[in-house]
Amino acid sequence: MTRVLVVEDDPQLVRALVINMQARQYGVDAAPDGATALRLAAAHQPDVVMLDLGLPDMDGVDVIRALRGLTRVPILVLSARQASEEKVAALDAGADDYITKPFSMDELLARLRAAVRRTEDTPHAPATTLVETDGFTIDLFAKRALRDGQDVRLTPTEWHLLEILVTNPGRLVSQKHLLQEVWGASQSNKTNYLRVYMAQLRRKLETDPSHPRYLITEPGMGYRFEG
């Protein structure tokens, strides 16, 4: 059973989410604030986290950062904050998706299914499991990234993108292909998602993110990994 941690201080919304998810055979834990969320995440190890940013005790972005210290499971933000800088801050902190309130329950459940699929999908075994560059090392088997001998913490979405690129070295991977593989066919025109996540990967892996050596943009077409 897939276990979902809902972090939301609106009891009415929590009740609706719990009823809808339990009806679809998800296990659900609910936390009304950030501190409870972190305690439940450590104790119950959820498969997915749904998180409101407007919590009574902590800002949701700080909760995302704290969760990333505990787990790499998908984090779906549910928020009434619509400003693009709020969305970028949440994604930069480690969120995998951002759903603006009010939302339809059908869309939310579709996003949840997509998040679960991304973590369950097993890619075809690559020809090599270790990708080494002068700047970083990717262990595809262990799902680890190392830079200067230190673990680099990647979200599931960041890892999925990186995995597609490094298993196709030197090959242009189109924007449409990356969007469909990582976010699903319905999101195949959301090129801004790619820009945000590729910028995050470069900040984490490249020595000079503004002049990337390994994660290359082909303007208007896609991205390429140069080993």
Side-chain angles (χ1 to χ4, degrees):
M1 178 186 289
T2 299
R3 187 140 214 100
V4 183
L5 172 60
V6 175
V7 189
E8 169 64 65
D9 64 340
D10 178 345
Q12 202 168 354
L13 178 54
V14 170
R15 177 176 164 76
L17 290 170
V18 170
I19 289 170
N20 275 276
M21 285 190 283
Q22 286 182 341
R24 290 161 178 82
Q25 309 305 310
Y26 292 101
V28 189
D29 292 310
D33 53 53
T36 306
L38 295 174
R39 180 173 54 77
L40 287 174
H44 294 183
Q45 299 182 344
D47 300 297
V48 182
V49 177
M50 287 187 176
L51 171 73
D52 180 27
L53 293 182
L55 298 170
D57 62 337
M58 299 170 67
D59 186 78
V61 172
D62 292 329
V63 179
I64 294 169
R65 292 193 186 102
L67 283 168
R68 281 289 166 245
L70 298 170
T71 179
R72 287 177 57 185
V73 302
I75 299 174
L76 280 61
V77 170
L78 315 177
S79 180
R81 301 177 189 177
Q82 299 189 23
S84 61
E85 59 266 25
E86 298 276 7
K87 297 179 182 179
V88 170
L91 293 169
D92 278 348
D96 294 274
D97 202 351
Y98 196 107
I99 303 155
T100 305
K101 296 178 181 177
F103 49 81
S104 77
M105 192 61 68
D106 284 345
E107 180 188 359
L108 177 66
L109 292 167
R111 300 280 191 103
L112 173 59
R113 289 193 298 273
V116 172
R117 272 200 311 275
R118 287 199 295 273
T119 59
E120 289 179 343
D121 283 348
T122 304
H124 297 299
T128 179
T129 59
L130 202 63
V131 178
E132 296 181 282
T133 72
D134 290 340
F136 55 87
T137 301
I138 307 298
D139 187 333
L140 294 164
F141 182 76
K143 292 190 177 290
R144 291 177 72 200
L146 297 167
R147 182 177 171 186
D148 301 325
Q150 302 294 313
D151 272 306
V152 178
R153 189 175 297 145
L154 300 177
T155 70
T157 301
E158 290 167 351
W159 177 263
H160 198 170
L161 265 179
L162 182 63
E163 193 172 42
I164 294 168
L165 291 170
V166 301
T167 53
N168 291 279
R171 189 181 304 167
L172 171 69
V173 184
S174 71
Q175 294 177 342
K176 184 175 181 180
H177 178 77
L178 287 168
L179 286 163
Q180 287 181 339
E181 284 292 312
V182 178
W183 284 278
S186 65
Q187 306 298 317
S188 61
N189 63 340
K190 300 291 183 67
T191 54
N192 57 311
Y193 284 17
L194 283 174
R195 285 196 294 273
V196 168
Y197 278 96
M198 289 302 296
Q200 289 174 187
L201 282 172
R202 287 173 178 144
R203 279 199 296 274
K204 292 179 178 183
L205 297 174
E206 295 273 7
T207 303
D208 183 356
S210 59
H211 298 92
R213 178 179 170 188
Y214 304 104
L215 302 170
I216 310 300
T217 300
E218 297 289 355
M221 295 187 291
Y223 298 88
R224 184 165 40 84
F225 170 70
E226 289 292 348

